[in-house]
Amino acid sequence: MPKVNPVQIQKFLKGMDYPASKDELVSHAREHGADKEVCAILERLSQEEFTTPAEVSKAVGEVS
């Protein structure tokens, strides 16, 4: 799977309200034009709940 940059993912999560569940992140990203690769990465995150964008970026770095 091609590596997805956490900064790219944050573009699709702009305006996201935290804390947010993994499902909420995927839905928000999809609504903001994220492609299947980005959504697949978000779905593979190990945490179920995120309190900050930095937490999401760290988790993305661990799976991508």
Side-chain angles (χ1 to χ4, degrees):
M1 181 176 281
K3 197 159 174 71
V4 175
N5 183 327
V7 175
Q8 281 178 290
I9 290 181
Q10 288 301 330
K11 273 194 321 194
F12 299 116
L13 297 178
K14 191 174 171 121
M16 185 80 215
D17 289 327
Y18 292 90
S21 70
K22 181 165 55 173
D23 290 343
E24 289 170 328
L25 294 177
V26 173
S27 293
H28 189 88
R30 201 170 273 137
E31 288 167 13
H32 288 84
D35 60 21
K36 285 181 185 165
E37 275 178 35
V38 169
C39 292
I41 296 270
L42 291 172
E43 288 167 354
R44 289 174 48 214
L45 299 180
S46 57
Q47 282 172 251
E48 288 299 321
E49 185 93 355
F50 297 87
T51 55
T52 66
E55 254 186 24
V56 176
S57 291
K58 182 175 184 276
V60 166
E62 292 168 1
V63 298
S64 60

